[in-house]
Amino acid sequence: ETDRTGTTVQFWPDARCEENPDGVFETGEFQFNILKVRLREMAFLNKGIRITLTDKRVEPEDQRVYHYEGGIIDYVKYLNSEKTTLHDEPIFLEGQRDTTICRVAIQYTDGYTESMFSYVNNIPTGEGGSHETGFKAAFTKAMNDYARKIGALKEKDNNLSGEDFREGLTCVISVKLTEAQFEGQTKAKLGNSEIRTLVAAVVSDKLE
């Protein structure tokens, strides 16, 4: 007996695919490294969840457990683990409107490269979209406003650009919503215009 509940799903690639040119897969063999990267990413995006990956094809079997109570905060720390960071803890911003949830984690490094990773319902959006647009606009405004408040920018000075403020920044944006609208078949770019407003509001309110 057990008090554990849930559903177990088992599947195997169609073994006919290697002989059948019309098969679903080109090969029936799983790539451990590809699964490892994706499952670790899923664990970061869903804090508290525990994912166990076991490769029983090798001896001894190779098992990895992914579990992050910090969620995307831990994700940013992982991305910056071999970099010199300018503050110990990533800045975490979170907000919700109805059933739509926005989470952002950011941390500066001493590098010159901007590293931005965005997701919608755990799907990576490599081409960005409205959530990234909302973040960039609100982040740039908040930083320029603060620069003027502390006197780093004078009245006669022009605002600095978003690229200036994002230099050395590592950022993870995760949005969860019920009716995601993607552009293109690869789901690489989010098109929901209302998400731009939500993300901008969360970044503006929490960062200021």
Side-chain angles (χ1 to χ4, degrees):
E1 291 186 7
T2 177
D3 58 358
R4 299 176 66 185
T5 61
T7 302
T8 298
V9 178
Q10 294 181 326
F11 68 93
W12 289 265
D14 189 342
R16 297 171 301 171
C17 64
E18 296 182 25
E19 299 103 29
N20 181 5
D22 297 323
V24 177
F25 300 103
E26 293 180 1
T27 174
E29 183 177 354
F30 287 104
Q31 299 297 313
F32 185 81
N33 285 336
I34 293 176
L35 290 173
K36 177 183 68 176
V37 171
R38 178 57 178 155
L39 293 179
R40 180 173 55 212
E41 188 178 62
M42 292 287 286
F44 279 129
L45 294 168
N46 300 276
K47 68 177 182 178
I49 193 173
R50 184 180 302 274
I51 299 176
T52 303
L53 173 64
T54 308
D55 190 348
K56 297 183 178 181
R57 300 169 299 182
V58 295
E59 185 65 40
E61 64 184 36
D62 189 354
Q63 184 174 94
R64 313 291 176 91
V65 179
Y66 303 111
H67 174 77
Y68 305 102
E69 287 295 339
I72 63 171
I73 296 175
D74 288 341
Y75 193 2
V76 168
K77 289 180 178 179
Y78 170 79
L79 293 169
N80 286 340
S81 59
E82 296 184 2
K83 302 176 183 178
T84 301
T85 57
L86 301 186
H87 46 106
D88 292 337
E89 285 297 316
I91 299 167
F92 180 66
L93 315 170
E94 182 177 31
Q96 183 170 351
R97 180 183 299 160
D98 299 325
T99 58
T100 302
I101 301 172
C102 167
R103 298 186 178 100
V104 179
I106 54 179
Q107 187 179 40
Y108 274 101
T109 72
D110 67 349
Y112 298 99
T113 305
E114 168 195 340
S115 300
M116 182 173 294
F117 301 85
S118 64
Y119 301 85
V120 176
N121 297 342
N122 297 329
I123 299 170
T125 44
E127 296 178 15
S130 55
H131 51 335
E132 284 194 18
T133 303
F135 168 80
K136 290 178 179 178
F139 188 76
T140 302
K141 183 179 185 305
M143 297 293 273
N144 271 308
D145 288 349
Y146 184 69
R148 294 193 181 281
K149 180 180 178 180
I150 65 173
L153 284 177
K154 307 302 181 183
E155 185 177 347
K156 60 180 175 55
D157 295 333
N158 293 325
N159 281 340
L160 294 175
S161 71
E163 287 80 3
D164 292 326
F165 288 120
R166 296 195 306 273
E167 187 175 286
L169 184 70
T170 299
C171 173
V172 174
I173 305 169
S174 176
V175 175
K176 305 284 181 69
L177 66 158
T178 55
E179 298 292 336
Q181 300 168 6
F182 294 99
E183 298 179 12
Q185 287 186 326
T186 60
K187 297 185 176 182
K189 187 174 183 179
L190 182 66
N192 298 64
S193 59
E194 72 278 7
I195 298 303
R196 181 187 190 280
T197 305
L198 172 61
V199 174
V202 170
V203 172
S204 294
D205 294 344
K206 305 297 182 180
L207 195 59
E208 288 173 7

